[in-house]
Amino acid sequence: MSQEKLAIRTVIFSMLGNALLSGIKFLAGIFGNSFALIADAIESLVDVFSSILVLIGLKYAQRPADENHPYGHGKAEALITFLVVGFLIVSAVTIAYQAIQNIRTPHEGPASWTLAVLAAIILWKEISYRFVLNRSKKLQSSSLRAEAWHHRSDAITSVAAFIGILIAIWGGEGYEKADDYAAIFAAGFILYNCYLIFRPALGEVMDEDTHDDLTAEIRKVALTVEGITGTEKCFIRKAGMKFHVDLHANVDGDLTVREGHDIAHDLKDTLKKEIPELGHILIHIEPFD
């Protein structure tokens, strides 16, 4: 199965799971009188829409290179990540605003059975987080990483809701607002995760080169090619799930232009074979005595 298809299946898994959990949380929050659960449901609902955006971005990023986009359309994935962050910020602000309104208004405490619902949700979201995060690392996908952190932030907000409801139940009269303070904490954590998601995507758009491990692997593979005596500059840019490379390679300075050209092609083909996640590769031959 291709990287792109595997990524799309992972997003669909997240989207269906979030849609189901959002409905469960809304019902439990309404009938269990817990705004923290309703806030949690709002986040899950926003995650469904953000998953749709990620899905669109992944499909668009699959488009092959063309005359106007010689390096392909992989940058679309990072741009979609920005939209996902925007959705998360809106949901965090909405949750915090409504929680503050609830704190100002006296209301009944949450039902005890909502704790069982939250415990099951926390377990499922943590499993989902680890599953999607492993896929994001395997596929080198920034949007899948954002998707994974949606699950982790959802798990954390559910933990906050659990603690808030537990305090409200144990404390009894006068502690009903603990549920709402838990929702405010959840909103703050969502905003913190927004930064964690936004920063790598921004680096990708700005062609930030922080791929030291990949650089080392490229240099190591290059030395296995006959005729290559060493490497100099190695610049890497990430676009979607592919890495575009500019590499300066050393060869014998007495070789003919054609011989140097053939070695460059051998190097390019070897890098493509040994490191499949590489996209466009530009080899510059440096004469070395």
Side-chain angles (χ1 to χ4, degrees):
M1 185 182 296
S2 68
Q3 287 183 310
E4 290 78 10
K5 287 183 178 179
L6 192 59
I8 288 172
R9 287 193 176 187
T10 304
V11 174
I12 291 175
F13 162 81
S14 292
M15 187 166 56
L16 294 178
N18 284 329
L20 178 61
L21 288 181
S22 179
I24 293 173
K25 291 175 184 177
F26 265 121
L27 292 174
I30 292 172
F31 291 106
N33 197 36
S34 170
F35 180 68
L37 256 176
I38 295 175
D40 215 0
I42 292 173
E43 187 195 358
S44 292
L45 187 60
V46 170
D47 286 348
V48 172
F49 289 108
S50 66
S51 293
I52 293 173
L53 287 177
V54 171
L55 196 59
I56 293 172
L58 286 172
K59 284 184 173 293
Y60 187 84
Q62 287 185 55
R63 293 187 177 186
D66 54 34
E67 185 176 351
N68 294 327
H69 305 87
Y71 289 94
H73 299 76
K75 294 288 186 182
E77 190 182 348
L79 297 178
I80 288 296
T81 302
F82 294 155
L83 291 178
V84 171
V85 169
F87 267 93
L88 284 173
I89 291 174
V90 170
S91 67
V93 172
T94 302
I95 289 169
Y97 173 80
Q98 189 58 53
I100 292 171
Q101 295 300 313
N102 286 357
I103 290 172
R104 294 174 177 176
T105 306
H107 57 83
E108 296 180 10
S112 59
W113 57 263
T114 56
L115 292 174
V117 175
L118 276 170
I121 289 172
I122 291 168
L123 178 61
W124 173 250
K125 295 305 291 187
E126 185 62 22
I127 291 172
S128 299
Y129 161 74
R130 295 180 183 277
F131 172 74
V132 178
L133 184 66
N134 286 337
R135 284 285 176 86
S136 73
K137 290 178 179 179
K138 179 180 180 180
L139 301 175
Q140 299 288 343
S141 171
S142 61
S143 60
L144 277 186
R145 184 175 183 274
E147 193 72 16
W149 272 102
H150 282 165
H151 290 297
R152 170 51 68 84
S153 65
D154 210 359
I156 295 296
T157 54
S158 294
V159 169
F162 187 94
I163 295 173
I165 292 172
L166 191 62
I167 293 173
I169 293 172
W170 278 0
E173 187 176 352
Y175 285 84
E176 298 88 352
K177 296 178 181 179
D179 180 53
D180 303 308
Y181 283 112
I184 292 177
F185 172 81
F189 188 80
I190 293 170
L191 290 176
Y192 172 69
N193 275 330
C194 285
Y195 169 76
L196 296 180
I197 296 168
F198 175 81
R199 183 62 186 86
L202 178 63
E204 185 173 328
V205 170
M206 297 298 293
D207 290 332
E208 186 176 16
D209 189 351
T210 56
H211 315 292
D212 295 339
D213 291 342
L214 181 58
T215 299
E217 186 178 1
I218 289 171
R219 294 189 188 280
K220 181 179 179 181
V221 171
L223 291 177
T224 66
V225 177
E226 185 177 356
I228 300 295
T229 59
T231 56
E232 295 182 7
K233 297 175 184 177
C234 183
F235 302 137
I236 300 177
R237 292 171 289 163
K238 186 173 183 295
M241 288 176 280
K242 294 294 184 181
F243 295 86
H244 303 309
V245 180
D246 297 338
L247 178 65
H248 289 218
N250 297 328
V251 300
D252 186 346
D254 294 329
L255 295 177
T256 65
V257 173
R258 183 175 297 280
E259 288 171 331
H261 173 81
D262 291 341
I263 291 174
H265 270 282
D266 288 342
L267 174 55
K268 181 177 179 179
D269 293 340
T270 301
L271 287 172
K272 282 274 193 180
K273 179 182 178 181
E274 297 297 326
I275 313 175
E277 60 266 30
L278 297 186
H280 182 81
I281 302 174
L282 176 64
I283 305 296
H284 177 81
I285 295 297
E286 296 278 4
F288 182 78
D289 297 323

Short mmCIF file of all heavy atoms in Angstrom, two decimals, residues 196-220:
data_model
loop_
_atom_site.label_atom_id
_atom_site.label_comp_id
_atom_site.label_asym_id
_atom_site.label_seq_id
_atom_site.Cartn_x
_atom_site.Cartn_y
_atom_site.Cartn_z
N LEU A 196 2.22 23.52 19.29
CA LEU A 196 3.01 22.33 18.98
C LEU A 196 2.74 21.84 17.56
O LEU A 196 3.63 21.29 16.90
CB LEU A 196 2.70 21.21 19.98
CG LEU A 196 3.08 21.47 21.44
CD1 LEU A 196 2.70 20.26 22.29
CD2 LEU A 196 4.56 21.76 21.58
N ILE A 197 1.52 22.02 17.09
CA ILE A 197 1.16 21.59 15.74
C ILE A 197 1.61 22.61 14.70
O ILE A 197 2.11 22.27 13.62
CB ILE A 197 -0.37 21.38 15.65
CG1 ILE A 197 -0.82 20.25 16.57
CG2 ILE A 197 -0.79 21.08 14.21
CD1 ILE A 197 -2.31 20.18 16.74
N PHE A 198 1.46 23.90 15.04
CA PHE A 198 1.73 24.98 14.10
C PHE A 198 3.23 25.11 13.78
O PHE A 198 3.61 25.31 12.62
CB PHE A 198 1.21 26.29 14.68
CG PHE A 198 1.53 27.51 13.86
CD1 PHE A 198 0.77 27.83 12.74
CD2 PHE A 198 2.60 28.34 14.20
CE1 PHE A 198 1.07 28.95 11.98
CE2 PHE A 198 2.90 29.45 13.45
CZ PHE A 198 2.14 29.77 12.33
N ARG A 199 4.08 24.95 14.81
CA ARG A 199 5.50 25.23 14.63
C ARG A 199 6.17 24.35 13.57
O ARG A 199 6.86 24.88 12.68
CB ARG A 199 6.21 25.08 15.99
CG ARG A 199 7.71 25.42 15.94
CD ARG A 199 7.92 26.87 15.53
NE ARG A 199 9.33 27.17 15.35
CZ ARG A 199 9.99 26.97 14.21
NH1 ARG A 199 9.37 26.45 13.16
NH2 ARG A 199 11.26 27.29 14.11
N PRO A 200 6.00 23.02 13.58
CA PRO A 200 6.64 22.20 12.53
C PRO A 200 6.09 22.49 11.14
O PRO A 200 6.84 22.47 10.16
CB PRO A 200 6.30 20.76 12.97
CG PRO A 200 5.98 20.84 14.41
CD PRO A 200 5.33 22.17 14.59
N ALA A 201 4.78 22.76 11.04
CA ALA A 201 4.19 23.07 9.74
C ALA A 201 4.77 24.37 9.18
O ALA A 201 5.01 24.49 7.98
CB ALA A 201 2.67 23.17 9.86
N LEU A 202 4.97 25.36 10.07
CA LEU A 202 5.57 26.62 9.63
C LEU A 202 6.99 26.38 9.13
O LEU A 202 7.41 26.94 8.10
CB LEU A 202 5.59 27.62 10.79
CG LEU A 202 6.24 28.98 10.50
CD1 LEU A 202 5.47 29.71 9.41
CD2 LEU A 202 6.32 29.82 11.77
N GLY A 203 7.74 25.54 9.85
CA GLY A 203 9.09 25.22 9.43
C GLY A 203 9.12 24.56 8.06
O GLY A 203 10.02 24.81 7.25
N GLU A 204 8.10 23.73 7.79
CA GLU A 204 8.02 23.06 6.49
C GLU A 204 7.77 24.06 5.37
O GLU A 204 8.40 24.00 4.31
CB GLU A 204 6.91 22.01 6.53
CG GLU A 204 6.82 21.18 5.27
CD GLU A 204 5.81 20.05 5.40
OE1 GLU A 204 5.65 19.53 6.52
OE2 GLU A 204 5.19 19.69 4.37
N VAL A 205 6.87 24.99 5.60
CA VAL A 205 6.57 26.01 4.59
C VAL A 205 7.78 26.91 4.34
O VAL A 205 8.04 27.34 3.21
CB VAL A 205 5.34 26.85 5.01
CG1 VAL A 205 5.16 28.06 4.12
CG2 VAL A 205 4.09 25.99 4.98
N MET A 206 8.54 27.19 5.41
CA MET A 206 9.71 28.07 5.30
C MET A 206 10.97 27.31 4.88
O MET A 206 12.06 27.87 4.90
CB MET A 206 9.95 28.75 6.66
CG MET A 206 8.82 29.66 7.12
SD MET A 206 8.54 31.05 6.00
CE MET A 206 10.05 31.96 6.22
N ASP A 207 10.83 26.03 4.51
CA ASP A 207 11.96 25.21 4.09
C ASP A 207 13.05 25.14 5.16
O ASP A 207 14.25 25.16 4.86
CB ASP A 207 12.57 25.72 2.77
CG ASP A 207 11.65 25.48 1.59
OD1 ASP A 207 10.87 24.52 1.64
OD2 ASP A 207 11.70 26.27 0.62
N GLU A 208 12.62 25.00 6.40
CA GLU A 208 13.56 24.89 7.51
C GLU A 208 14.22 23.51 7.46
O GLU A 208 13.55 22.49 7.38
CB GLU A 208 12.80 25.06 8.83
CG GLU A 208 13.70 25.11 10.05
CD GLU A 208 12.90 25.37 11.32
OE1 GLU A 208 11.66 25.22 11.29
OE2 GLU A 208 13.52 25.72 12.33
N ASP A 209 15.56 23.49 7.51
CA ASP A 209 16.30 22.23 7.41
C ASP A 209 16.69 21.78 8.82
O ASP A 209 17.68 22.24 9.39
CB ASP A 209 17.53 22.40 6.54
CG ASP A 209 18.21 21.06 6.23
OD1 ASP A 209 17.82 20.05 6.84
OD2 ASP A 209 19.11 21.04 5.38
N THR A 210 15.92 20.86 9.38
CA THR A 210 16.21 20.31 10.70
C THR A 210 16.30 18.78 10.62
O THR A 210 16.01 18.09 11.59
CB THR A 210 15.10 20.70 11.69
OG1 THR A 210 13.84 20.25 11.19
CG2 THR A 210 15.05 22.20 11.90
N HIS A 211 16.71 18.29 9.46
CA HIS A 211 16.67 16.84 9.19
C HIS A 211 18.07 16.24 9.30
O HIS A 211 18.60 15.67 8.33
CB HIS A 211 16.06 16.59 7.82
CG HIS A 211 14.83 17.40 7.54
ND1 HIS A 211 13.64 17.21 8.21
CD2 HIS A 211 14.62 18.44 6.68
CE1 HIS A 211 12.74 18.07 7.77
NE2 HIS A 211 13.31 18.82 6.86
N ASP A 212 18.69 16.37 10.47
CA ASP A 212 20.07 15.92 10.64
C ASP A 212 20.23 14.42 10.43
O ASP A 212 21.20 13.97 9.82
CB ASP A 212 20.57 16.30 12.04
CG ASP A 212 20.65 17.80 12.24
OD1 ASP A 212 20.72 18.52 11.23
OD2 ASP A 212 20.62 18.26 13.40
N ASP A 213 19.29 13.64 10.92
CA ASP A 213 19.39 12.18 10.78
C ASP A 213 19.30 11.78 9.31
O ASP A 213 20.05 10.90 8.85
CB ASP A 213 18.28 11.49 11.57
CG ASP A 213 18.48 11.63 13.08
OD1 ASP A 213 19.61 11.93 13.50
OD2 ASP A 213 17.50 11.43 13.83
N LEU A 214 18.39 12.42 8.58
CA LEU A 214 18.25 12.10 7.16
C LEU A 214 19.48 12.54 6.38
O LEU A 214 19.93 11.83 5.47
CB LEU A 214 17.00 12.78 6.60
CG LEU A 214 16.68 12.52 5.12
CD1 LEU A 214 16.53 11.02 4.86
CD2 LEU A 214 15.41 13.25 4.71
N THR A 215 20.05 13.68 6.74
CA THR A 215 21.28 14.15 6.10
C THR A 215 22.41 13.13 6.28
O THR A 215 23.13 12.80 5.34
CB THR A 215 21.71 15.51 6.68
OG1 THR A 215 20.70 16.47 6.43
CG2 THR A 215 23.01 15.98 6.04
N ALA A 216 22.54 12.63 7.51
CA ALA A 216 23.58 11.64 7.79
C ALA A 216 23.35 10.36 6.97
O ALA A 216 24.31 9.76 6.46
CB ALA A 216 23.59 11.32 9.28
N GLU A 217 22.10 9.95 6.84
CA GLU A 217 21.79 8.75 6.07
C GLU A 217 22.11 8.95 4.59
O GLU A 217 22.65 8.06 3.92
CB GLU A 217 20.32 8.38 6.25
CG GLU A 217 19.95 7.06 5.60
CD GLU A 217 18.49 6.68 5.82
OE1 GLU A 217 17.76 7.46 6.46
OE2 GLU A 217 18.09 5.60 5.34
N ILE A 218 21.79 10.13 4.06
CA ILE A 218 22.08 10.44 2.66
C ILE A 218 23.58 10.39 2.40
O ILE A 218 24.04 9.82 1.40
CB ILE A 218 21.50 11.82 2.28
CG1 ILE A 218 19.97 11.76 2.22
CG2 ILE A 218 22.07 12.31 0.94
CD1 ILE A 218 19.31 13.10 2.07
N ARG A 219 24.36 10.99 3.29
CA ARG A 219 25.81 10.98 3.13
C ARG A 219 26.36 9.55 3.18
O ARG A 219 27.28 9.19 2.42
CB ARG A 219 26.46 11.83 4.21
CG ARG A 219 26.13 13.32 4.12
CD ARG A 219 26.98 14.13 5.11
NE ARG A 219 26.57 15.52 5.19
CZ ARG A 219 26.91 16.45 4.31
NH1 ARG A 219 27.67 16.14 3.27
NH2 ARG A 219 26.51 17.71 4.47
N LYS A 220 25.81 8.75 4.06
CA LYS A 220 26.26 7.36 4.21
C LYS A 220 25.97 6.56 2.94
O LYS A 220 26.83 5.82 2.45
CB LYS A 220 25.57 6.73 5.41
CG LYS A 220 25.99 5.30 5.68
CD LYS A 220 25.28 4.75 6.91
CE LYS A 220 25.67 3.30 7.18
NZ LYS A 220 24.95 2.75 8.37
#
